[in-house]
Amino acid sequence: MISYLQQLTAVLMAPVMSLLNNTLVGWLAKHFCIWWQRKRPPTQGSVAPGFEPVAALFRKNFENGVEQSTGGSAFSVYYKGSKVVDLWGGFADTTVRQLWEEDTMTVIFSATKGIAALCMSMLVDRGQLDFDQTVAFYWPEFAQRGKEKITVRMLLNHEAGLAATAQPISFKDLKDQDALGRLLAESPPCWPPGTGHGYHAFTFGLYCSQLLMRVDPQRRTLGQFFKDEVAEPFDIDIHIGLPLELNYRVARLTGILDFPYSVSLSYIPRDVVSWLFIWAFVTGRSFIHEVIQKATDMAMIRKMIKPQARALENPSSSGIGTARAAAKVYGILANGGQPLQGQRLLSKKLVEDILAEAGPPSLDKVVAIETNFSNGYALFDCEGSRQFGHHGAGGQQCVADPQYKLGIAYVSSHFSPYGFGNDPRFLSLQKATYKCVRDLQAKPL
């Protein structure tokens, strides 16, 4: 009888003990990582003269807990065409205490959309695409179910109403471009096109790639086009569809993915923008539920840990690269579309048009906050200056500032609750960068 009771108690208590053990293990691992980081220099990299305060702040963020001990991050800046900040720190994988190295990459999530927008602008620059032409002109099958008047510009600026597809999209669908094209062409708009904008979180890059395939003479996907026309000739270490052999360089995603074993107050957002989005999600006052439901695999962040998922081309949200590479791209754009030496990436006029043709921000039908897009890029205001680029879930942010000729990028493997360019880790570094630039500009020649 005693033996039976002991066995029954063990069975009933097993889940409770497992949770306690896992929670304790997670807590101990987290605090060991904090101790370990404080026992060694937590950051590495270099800065140009005048940008030392940025390096000091980056290090301080790791020491005082602004940067979480369970992950790693990188921050890079190009100024007037030259790299002036290149910093990295923390862990690429805390489970084996693998440090973030110079060539460590991470998933940049929706910051990939800025790369997709660049590819579309390059086609316009070459005369192969027109922002104001209808999508159906290039892709006749697209003209179904009320989409015949949607222009390329409307599609890029999230005004097409195509935030969710008629049928759910899985990773399996990403392997068959022809079937994916049919699914996208057959999907009706969620709202009348042109009557407002709503963030095409998971469909933006898919539609861009299908359109690109139909105007590119080589019928390349967007990921292949970017590799051939940007990544290789300009030495940009970003991949849309990561080769399996490069997975050893990718940091392991942490943060919200660790719940409930690594609960922290850092997962509670502290800004109005994030809470407005959460409120809309909870109350169902936007299209966000439908968007996530139809995105299936693409909305499951945990699946991006798998190499097979990273190998798939998804120009909406699964690009993988370094902060250095993203800052270089936007540094080139901020410098008028041309590096200090070498071939031009984009014409100066097209770069200038991104900000010149932008309208005012308005309420987004999907994320229920005010957003603003121009030719596929998200627009931001910073320190009295205008930026364009793109944010990404978990805190990623990549921007260009043509006024100051700045290209700035922050990436992290620690997935924070901030996804609209509002991550405190990035904002503090950006503010320090602008102060350094202004101090340099104020010095007499």
Side-chain angles (χ1 to χ4, degrees):
M1 185 69 176
I2 295 176
S3 176
Y4 172 76
L5 287 175
Q6 288 175 333
Q7 292 180 32
L8 179 61
T9 302
V11 170
L12 294 175
M13 290 297 294
V16 177
M17 294 305 297
S18 175
L19 178 61
L20 290 173
N21 287 336
N22 285 332
T23 303
L24 178 61
V25 168
W27 185 89
L28 289 173
K30 175 182 176 181
H31 286 80
F32 174 78
C33 289
I34 293 174
W35 173 84
W36 176 256
Q37 283 188 309
R38 289 176 178 173
K39 295 290 288 183
R40 65 173 179 82
T43 62
Q44 300 180 65
S46 62
V47 295
F51 291 89
E52 294 86 356
V54 180
L57 178 61
F58 188 70
R59 180 187 179 99
K60 183 179 179 181
N61 283 352
F62 276 90
E63 293 175 338
N64 63 14
V66 173
E67 287 281 0
Q68 298 298 303
S69 60
T70 55
S73 302
F75 182 70
S76 188
V77 178
Y78 273 71
Y79 175 49
K80 294 183 177 179
S82 297
K83 183 174 64 178
V84 294
V85 176
D86 190 16
L87 302 168
W88 60 91
F91 289 95
D93 191 337
T94 53
T95 58
V96 295
R97 292 199 287 279
Q98 177 184 340
L99 299 181
W100 191 291
E101 303 290 351
E102 183 176 5
D103 67 344
T104 297
M105 299 186 292
T106 191
V107 184
I108 62 173
F109 294 102
S110 283
T112 315
K113 292 183 178 69
I115 300 300
L118 169 61
C119 294
M120 305 308 284
S121 291
M122 291 174 69
L123 294 174
V124 173
D125 218 6
R126 298 174 182 185
Q128 296 171 326
L129 193 65
D130 185 335
F131 285 136
D132 296 312
Q133 182 58 268
T134 64
V135 175
F137 176 82
Y138 307 101
W139 180 7
E141 296 82 6
F142 182 84
Q144 300 181 47
R145 308 185 71 175
K147 302 196 300 296
E148 56 277 353
K149 294 183 180 180
I150 294 174
T151 65
V152 175
R153 193 185 303 276
M154 289 167 61
L155 178 64
L156 294 180
N157 292 344
H158 304 260
E159 298 171 354
L162 300 174
T165 49
Q167 300 298 323
I169 297 179
S170 67
F171 282 157
K172 181 181 179 180
D173 296 308
L174 301 184
K175 298 176 182 179
D176 187 338
Q177 291 295 326
D178 291 336
L180 179 60
R182 289 192 294 271
L183 189 157
L184 294 172
E186 293 167 359
S187 294
C190 299
W191 61 85
T195 61
H197 78 283
Y199 190 43
H200 292 30
F202 301 103
T203 58
F204 177 89
L206 303 182
Y207 275 106
C208 285
S209 187
Q210 289 291 323
L211 179 55
L212 188 150
M213 288 170 62
R214 286 160 174 79
V215 300
D216 175 44
Q218 300 180 47
R219 195 174 163 78
R220 289 170 290 185
T221 61
L222 194 146
Q224 188 63 48
F225 178 91
F226 174 74
K227 177 183 177 182
D228 296 343
E229 305 291 341
V230 182
E232 291 183 348
F234 292 90
D235 191 24
I236 304 298
D237 194 10
I238 295 175
H239 308 264
I240 302 176
L242 185 73
L244 292 175
E245 63 270 18
L246 294 182
N247 269 277
Y248 75 96
R249 291 178 50 200
V250 182
R252 183 179 180 85
L253 295 173
T254 67
I256 290 177
L257 306 179
D258 298 329
F259 182 85
Y261 307 126
S262 182
V263 178
S264 168
L265 291 176
S266 66
Y267 301 137
I268 302 176
R270 296 169 175 81
D271 69 309
V272 174
V273 169
S274 296
W275 281 111
L276 287 173
F277 171 68
I278 292 171
W279 177 250
F281 182 86
V282 171
T283 59
R285 292 171 54 245
S286 71
F287 287 92
I288 189 63
H289 289 286
E290 182 180 358
V291 168
I292 293 175
Q293 181 184 23
K294 295 296 177 60
T296 63
D297 291 341
M298 293 185 292
M300 300 179 71
I301 299 165
R302 187 180 294 276
K303 290 196 173 185
M304 287 311 301
I305 295 174
K306 298 180 178 181
Q308 293 82 357
R310 294 169 179 164
L312 297 173
E313 279 197 29
N314 176 10
S316 292
S317 57
S318 64
I320 295 173
T322 65
R324 184 183 311 108
K328 185 176 183 179
V329 169
Y330 284 106
I332 293 172
L333 295 177
N335 204 48
Q338 186 170 9
L340 290 178
Q341 297 178 343
Q343 61 180 314
R344 180 172 288 279
L345 176 61
L346 199 64
S347 69
K348 186 176 181 181
K349 182 184 184 305
L350 272 179
V351 173
E352 292 174 344
D353 285 349
I354 296 169
L355 296 181
E357 297 180 357
S362 58
L363 189 66
D364 190 294
K365 292 178 176 292
V366 173
V367 296
I369 61 175
E370 283 201 341
T371 58
N372 198 6
F373 294 91
S374 180
N375 296 347
Y377 295 98
L379 305 183
F380 308 92
D381 292 308
C382 177
E383 303 287 320
S385 190
R386 207 79 194 277
Q387 303 172 331
F388 67 86
H390 220 289
H391 43 70
Q396 331 303 317
Q397 180 72 333
C398 310
V399 292
D401 183 336
Q403 178 181 335
Y404 286 96
K405 291 183 169 52
L406 279 169
I408 306 174
Y410 173 86
V411 302
S412 180
S413 62
H414 180 85
F415 195 95
S416 80
Y418 303 95
F420 302 103
N422 54 338
D423 194 303
R425 299 173 296 175
F426 163 74
L427 292 176
S428 64
L429 294 167
Q430 177 176 247
K431 184 175 182 179
T433 299
Y434 272 83
K435 185 178 187 308
C436 290
V437 169
R438 286 173 175 159
D439 288 345
L440 286 171
Q441 292 183 348
K443 288 182 179 180
L445 297 176

